């Protein structure tokens, strides 16, 4: 039963990572659209009718096509991306709404179809005709899939998207939207944060922002307030390494926008999820009451990025919501931590990490693989930090280890970061979060050593690894 649960969780994480993986690489385009919208629409900071003409085509064509291309590329490289973009054009044309959901469907479908075709004709193309067949097959298949998307898929997706958007609007108008944090906060701790934010909330937010100029959906997952409150509670009432590392984690979480940094603090005391939920609901209530919203998606969830995307009439609501979320989660978290002070079984951060790791490994019927003590500098040529999206926390870990290796005088080792589902096969050592160990094993070279890490600020893990190299 536990193995089935583990596989289910891994499959859900993979699906969520795939969905968010189509959006995350294109966040720069979303931010560009958000800034242009914030500046030049009639209610923007610098209204300009001429430059405002950029807003419509970007959200209608540019963003969905980028998502479709990326989805196809994830399935079958650049060739899959091209066919995925052609297929996406089919759902874009004629649609009355931004077709993000359609792009997330047709992009991978286009890549999958051309991948299967290439496999079917493999080794059957006469010498000298490869380029001709490749180009025409991509064009013909892309055209056919685009026509099917235009005539069959687009009406279905449009109906579904309109229904989903209407339901979201109804829930918001009824004042029930804050309750969504009952699901969002626990899902974040399971490393589904990127899937929720970029796979579900961002498409809903873009659709709403296209009509209203802003959207509350951009704030629901990106709000750093609840995590800030929990880290503040640990800074004052925590114990051991958890208390010592919390102030540094606050900077990375609140200013840097890497929310994964506070997940281990909840995992070591799961009841703290109540503090995160309470903070999230309180913050969302403020957002709803003040009609606050962002112009576009905020990624990463840094307070700086959030303020940059805040609509001109929403600063009070956004700042107030973030502050209220932090205060409520701090108060609830403080009560929980102080109540556990007298608990004889209270453990420090390292002990809690080890306990969680062993429990999870036992439930999966496998022992978590750690760096082999026999590793030497000659054994290790590439070290990869792997997180869900391959951007925030993994990039931070890469930076810290690079500096540690340099300080230790160890050279000749390439240190990179990547998505846990796209680990380079040349990797000798992989650092990843415990919740992602199953996906790392299936993605990585079987010869690689996998090291789990809970707190990316805990340099003792890096020092321990470096000592094995020496």
């Amino acid at each position: 039963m536990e193995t089935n649960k583990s596989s289910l969780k891994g499959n859900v994480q993979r699906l969520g990572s795939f969905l968010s993986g189509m959006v995350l690489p294109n966040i720069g385009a979303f931010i560009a659209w958000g800034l242009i919208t914030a500046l030049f629409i009639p209610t923007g900071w610098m209204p300009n009718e001429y430059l405002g003409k950029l807003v419509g085509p970007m959200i209608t064509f540019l963003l969905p096509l980028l998502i479709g291309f990326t989805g196809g590329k994830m399935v079958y490289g650049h060739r899959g991306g091209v066919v995925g973009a052609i297929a996406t054009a089919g759902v874009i044309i004629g649609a009355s709404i931004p077709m993000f959901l359609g792009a997330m469907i047709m992009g991978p479908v286009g890549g999958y179809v051309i991948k299967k075709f290439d496999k079917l004709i493999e080794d059957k193309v006469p010498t000298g005709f490869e380029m001709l067949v490749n180009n025409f097959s991509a064009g013909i298949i892309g055209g056919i899939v685009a026509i099917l998307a235009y005539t069959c898929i687009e009406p279905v997706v449009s109906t579904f998207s309109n229904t989903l958007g209407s339901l979201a609007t109804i829930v918001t108008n009824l004042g029930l939207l804050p309750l969504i944090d009952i699901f969002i906060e626990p899902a974040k701790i399971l490393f589904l944060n990127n899937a929720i934010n970029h796979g579900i909330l961002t498409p809903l937010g873009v659709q709403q922002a296209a009509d209203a100029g802003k959207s509350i959906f951009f704030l629901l997952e990106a709000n750093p307030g609840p995590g800030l409150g929990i880290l503040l509670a640990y800074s004052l009432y925590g114990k051991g390494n958890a208390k010592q590392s919390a102030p540094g984690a606050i900077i990375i979480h609140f200013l840097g926008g890497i929310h994964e940094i506070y997940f281990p603090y909840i995992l070591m005391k799961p009841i703290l999820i109540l503090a995160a939920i309470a903070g999230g609901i309180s913050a969302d209530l403020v957002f709803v009451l003040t009609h606050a919203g962002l112009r576009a998606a905020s990624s990463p969830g840094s307070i700086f990025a959030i303020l940059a995307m805040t609509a001109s009439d929403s600063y009070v609501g956004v700042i107030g919501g973030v502050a209220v979320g932090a205060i409520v989660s701090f108060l609830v978290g403080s009560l929980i931590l102080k109540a556990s002070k007298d608990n004889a079984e209270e453990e420090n951060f390292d002990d809690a990490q080890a306990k969680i790791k062993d429990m999870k490994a036992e439930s999966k019927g496998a022992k978590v693989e750690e760096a082999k003590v026999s590793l030497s500098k000659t054994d290790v040529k590439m070290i990869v930090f792997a997180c869900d999206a391959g951007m925030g926390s993994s990039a931070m870990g890469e930076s810290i280890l690079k500096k540690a290796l340099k300080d230790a005088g160890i050279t000749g080792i390439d240190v990179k970061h990547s998505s846990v589902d796209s680990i380079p096969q040349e990797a000798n050592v992989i650092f990843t979060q415990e919740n992602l160990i199953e996906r790392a094993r299936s993605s990585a070279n079987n010869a690689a050593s996998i090291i789990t890490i809970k707190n990316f600020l805990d340099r003792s893990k890096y020092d321990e690894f470096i000592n094995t190299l020496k």
Side-chain angles (χ1 to χ4, degrees):
M1 180 66 73
E2 292 294 337
T3 301
N4 291 338
K5 288 181 179 179
S6 175
S7 299
L8 176 62
K9 185 177 73 173
N11 290 335
V12 171
Q13 286 180 337
R14 287 187 185 92
L15 175 61
S17 178
F18 187 82
L19 291 175
S20 62
M22 286 186 266
V23 179
L24 274 172
N26 302 306
I27 282 295
F30 280 84
I31 291 175
W33 172 79
L35 291 174
I36 290 172
T37 301
L39 288 171
F40 304 128
I41 64 172
T43 57
W45 299 323
M46 301 167 56
N48 187 302
E49 183 179 356
Y50 175 69
L51 296 178
K53 292 178 181 178
L54 289 168
V55 174
M58 288 180 72
I59 192 175
T60 302
F61 301 106
L62 173 65
L63 299 182
L65 284 172
L66 284 173
I67 291 174
F69 175 83
T70 305
K73 185 178 181 182
M74 291 169 66
V75 174
Y76 193 50
H78 190 89
R79 182 167 165 82
V82 171
V83 178
I86 298 171
T88 300
V91 292
I92 291 175
I93 306 301
S96 59
I97 58 173
M99 196 47 71
F100 294 100
L101 181 58
M104 288 181 174
I105 295 172
M106 295 313 302
V109 166
Y112 178 80
V113 172
I114 193 65
K115 179 180 180 180
K116 287 299 180 181
F117 175 83
D118 284 356
K119 189 173 183 64
L120 185 66
I121 65 168
E122 189 176 6
D123 300 326
K124 297 177 181 178
V125 179
T127 302
F129 288 83
E130 292 87 356
M131 182 177 291
L132 181 68
V133 172
N134 284 343
N135 289 340
F136 271 85
S137 62
I140 293 170
I141 290 175
I144 293 172
V145 176
I147 292 171
L148 290 174
Y150 177 64
T151 57
C152 302
I153 306 300
E154 186 275 325
V156 175
V157 174
S158 291
T159 301
F160 179 78
S161 296
N162 285 325
T163 302
L164 193 62
S166 298
L167 289 175
T169 302
I170 292 172
V171 171
T172 303
N173 293 337
L174 290 175
L176 300 177
L177 191 63
L179 297 180
I180 198 174
D181 268 278
I182 296 174
F183 305 101
I184 288 180
E185 292 300 333
K188 288 175 69 173
I189 304 306
L190 295 175
F191 294 91
L192 294 173
N193 50 313
N194 288 316
I196 292 170
N197 194 24
H198 302 299
I200 300 172
L201 297 176
T202 293
L204 286 174
V206 170
Q207 185 173 334
Q208 188 180 65
D211 297 328
K214 62 181 179 180
S215 176
I216 191 175
F217 293 113
F218 295 132
L219 286 165
L220 299 182
E221 189 277 338
N223 177 17
L228 172 62
I230 289 171
L231 293 174
L232 285 172
Y234 264 107
S235 298
L236 295 178
Y237 305 111
K239 296 177 66 176
N241 288 343
K243 180 174 183 176
Q244 295 171 10
S245 62
I250 287 174
I251 296 174
I252 293 172
H253 165 71
F254 191 67
L255 303 183
I258 301 176
H259 290 199
E260 289 91 344
I261 196 70
Y262 81 86
F263 297 172
Y265 294 85
I266 294 181
L267 288 174
M268 70 174 290
K269 191 173 290 296
I271 195 174
L272 280 172
I273 194 64
L274 297 177
I277 291 173
I281 290 175
S282 302
D284 292 349
L285 185 60
V286 174
F287 297 148
V288 170
L289 293 176
T290 59
H291 303 287
L294 303 186
R295 300 284 193 189
S298 170
S299 183
S302 160
I303 188 61
F304 297 129
I306 286 175
L307 292 177
M309 291 292 107
T310 298
S312 56
D313 61 349
S314 296
Y315 282 102
V316 173
V318 169
I319 295 173
V322 172
V324 167
I327 292 170
V328 171
S329 65
F330 168 74
L331 293 175
V332 177
S334 297
L335 288 174
I336 293 173
L337 290 176
K338 286 194 288 186
S340 63
K341 279 276 188 177
D342 298 328
N343 188 342
E345 296 181 358
E346 178 77 19
E347 296 164 305
N348 63 30
F349 197 39
D350 293 333
D351 292 340
Q353 289 176 341
K355 181 178 179 180
I356 293 171
K357 178 178 67 178
D358 293 340
M359 288 173 61
K360 288 181 178 291
E362 183 180 357
S363 70
K364 295 173 182 175
K367 180 175 176 62
V368 175
E369 186 179 358
E370 295 291 346
K372 301 178 180 66
V373 293
S374 60
L375 282 175
S376 67
K377 285 182 287 187
T378 57
D379 297 324
V380 181
K381 299 299 181 183
M382 179 184 292
I383 301 170
V384 173
F385 279 80
C387 68
D388 182 44
M391 298 180 72
S393 53
S394 58
M396 180 177 66
E398 173 197 343
S399 177
I400 295 174
L401 184 60
K402 275 184 176 178
K403 186 176 186 305
L405 288 171
K406 182 179 180 181
D407 293 342
I410 298 176
T411 58
I413 298 178
D414 195 11
V415 185
K416 296 184 175 181
H417 66 277
S418 79
S419 163
V420 71
D421 296 315
S422 304
I423 297 173
Q425 293 303 299
E426 315 90 79
N428 307 114
V429 177
I430 299 155
F431 284 84
T432 192
Q433 293 112 327
E434 169 62 24
N435 279 37
L436 304 177
I437 185 73
E438 181 184 342
R439 292 163 61 187
R441 282 199 185 102
S442 64
S443 172
N445 178 353
N446 290 330
S449 294
I450 300 177
I451 303 175
T452 58
I453 189 163
K454 288 291 184 183
N455 181 7
F456 283 96
L457 295 179
D458 183 9
R459 296 173 184 267
S460 62
K461 197 77 169 180
Y462 307 129
D463 293 338
E464 178 185 340
F465 170 72
I466 290 172
N467 287 334
T468 67
L469 297 183
K470 293 182 178 179

